[in-house]
Amino acid sequence: MTIREMQKVLDAKFLYGEELEDLDVEFVFSADMMSDVLAYGSKCSVLITGLCNPQVVRTAEMLDIVCIIFVRGKMPDENMLALAMGKGIAVLATDHYMFTTCGMLYEHGLRGGA
Amino acid sequence: MSGGLTFRYTIDGDDFTRAGEASSSVKNKLKMLGLSADVTRRVAIAMYEGEINMVIHADGGVITVAVSDSEITMVLADTGPGIPDVEKAMREGYSTAREEVRSLGFGAGMGLPNMKRYTDEMQIDTVVGKGTTITMKVRL
Ligand SMILES: Nc1ncnc2c1ncn2[C@@H]1O[C@H](COP(=O)(O)OP(=O)(O)O)[C@@H](O)[C@H]1O
Ligand SMILES: [Mg+2]
């Protein structure tokens, strides 16, 4: 599934990285605790989270994640978007809750890393 | 690379927002040196957890990263409170972090186990009331 397809399925806003829209992704990790992402997400290229602070972008950066999806209407601030820009990480935001977001993407063939 | 390279960072203990900048810088440097994505990622994750710990548990510190032909050595030294029971601190889920830290996405008690998981060697030298020095190695 490409980043653009995820954006459409989730009815998400593309906050940064439209030039990355054709990137194909397969494995996804979702959590609000960043240490859990660091522990178990190292095979994944997409992070779904309801946590909204700069360490989310840092965590994604360390794991070479290419797209962050913020759920529950969470909106990253300019500082976070600037960080994501600097690292070439696409950022989507959807109003769906975490479970629904994961379910929709699973239905479209995306999987967890384990 | 023979002779090796050393990078040194002073970590500010007051600014959680900036925690991770040193790890980010190291990740970029290792990438530029042409090290593999796997090694680069492992070093970045381990150092990032250590850097976060310095900020949330020890009011900052100094990180030195040395790159040789055979390994990358990270030394994280702080003059914080020290760790009274290292064995306990190494357990997954053990954390003394405040609720405020948890609401920022850390304090799940996974940091030290993650640091061990992603490195080939890890040693903790700590004295209560004096500080903690953690040495980690990733072999190339
Ligand atoms: N640099 C440090 N100085 C003092 N205590 C530390 C340090 N690093 C870790 N600790 C102690 O070890 C515990 C476990 O650390 P960690 O596994 O990273 O979990 P967390 O940071 O989520 O609490 C911490 O809660 C803290 O009590
Ligand atoms: Mg920690």
Side-chain angles (χ1 to χ4, degrees):
Chain A
M1 197 170 191
T2 65
I3 294 179
R4 175 61 72 189
E5 286 165 340
M6 292 197 296
Q7 181 258 325
K8 287 196 175 133
V9 162
L10 297 172
D11 195 19
K13 290 193 191 72
F14 223 128
L15 299 182
Y16 169 70
E18 295 205 53
E19 65 271 25
L20 300 169
E21 65 177 8
D22 296 324
L23 257 175
D24 199 42
V25 299
E26 193 178 354
F27 295 114
V28 184
F29 196 83
S30 64
D32 287 348
M33 289 306 271
M34 292 303 111
S35 279
D36 284 340
V37 182
L38 290 162
Y40 308 117
S42 64
K43 261 207 295 184
C44 296
S45 48
V46 178
L47 170 61
I48 300 175
T49 187
L51 185 74
C52 197
N53 70 44
Q55 298 310 336
V56 173
V57 185
R58 286 275 176 236
T59 297
E61 176 194 354
M62 299 312 158
L63 292 173
D64 298 313
I65 277 167
V66 298
C67 178
I68 302 170
I69 303 175
F70 290 100
V71 297
R72 305 193 288 271
K74 295 279 156 51
M75 275 294 162
D77 62 16
E78 266 167 38
N79 171 33
M80 292 173 63
L81 286 177
L83 260 184
M85 242 176 258
K87 302 300 163 193
I89 300 171
V91 181
L92 304 181
T94 177
D95 287 333
H96 291 299
Y97 296 168
M98 177 91 90
F99 178 81
T100 313
T101 302
C102 295
M104 289 168 113
L105 296 181
Y106 193 94
E107 224 172 33
H108 281 79
L110 297 191
R111 292 295 178 263
Chain B
M1 259 193 310
S2 45
L5 286 170
T6 305
F7 308 109
R8 193 168 185 277
Y9 300 87
T10 302
I11 309 303
D12 182 354
D14 298 322
D15 197 348
F16 179 79
T17 306
R18 294 187 53 194
E21 281 183 4
S23 304
S24 171
S25 162
V26 165
K27 187 165 197 248
N28 281 336
K29 290 193 164 93
L30 298 186
K31 238 193 255 175
M32 281 191 302
L33 288 171
L35 295 175
S36 73
D38 177 62
V39 163
T40 306
R41 196 181 305 126
R42 286 167 57 208
V43 169
I45 295 172
M47 177 169 161
Y48 180 54
E49 286 281 15
E51 188 179 349
I52 294 276
N53 276 355
M54 277 185 156
V55 174
I56 64 181
H57 302 299
D59 199 28
V62 173
I63 302 180
T64 313
V65 180
V67 185
S68 79
D69 287 335
S70 57
E71 64 193 8
I72 296 169
T73 307
M74 296 166 263
V75 180
L76 294 81
D78 68 59
T79 52
I83 305 174
D85 187 339
V86 171
E87 204 186 306
K88 213 164 155 190
M90 284 301 300
R91 276 187 219 141
E92 289 197 0
Y94 177 82
S95 174
T96 61
R98 287 166 292 128
E99 186 50 41
E100 179 203 344
V101 167
R102 294 181 61 81
S103 71
L104 292 167
F106 288 87
M110 297 295 292
L112 292 174
N114 276 350
M115 289 155 73
K116 187 161 179 68
R117 175 180 290 128
Y118 286 105
T119 56
D120 293 308
E121 261 177 60
M122 172 166 152
Q123 188 187 324
I124 302 179
D125 298 297
T126 184
V127 179
V128 172
K130 286 249 169 15
T132 302
T133 298
I134 300 182
T135 307
M136 297 181 283
K137 285 182 192 290
V138 171
R139 281 190 281 278
L140 299 180

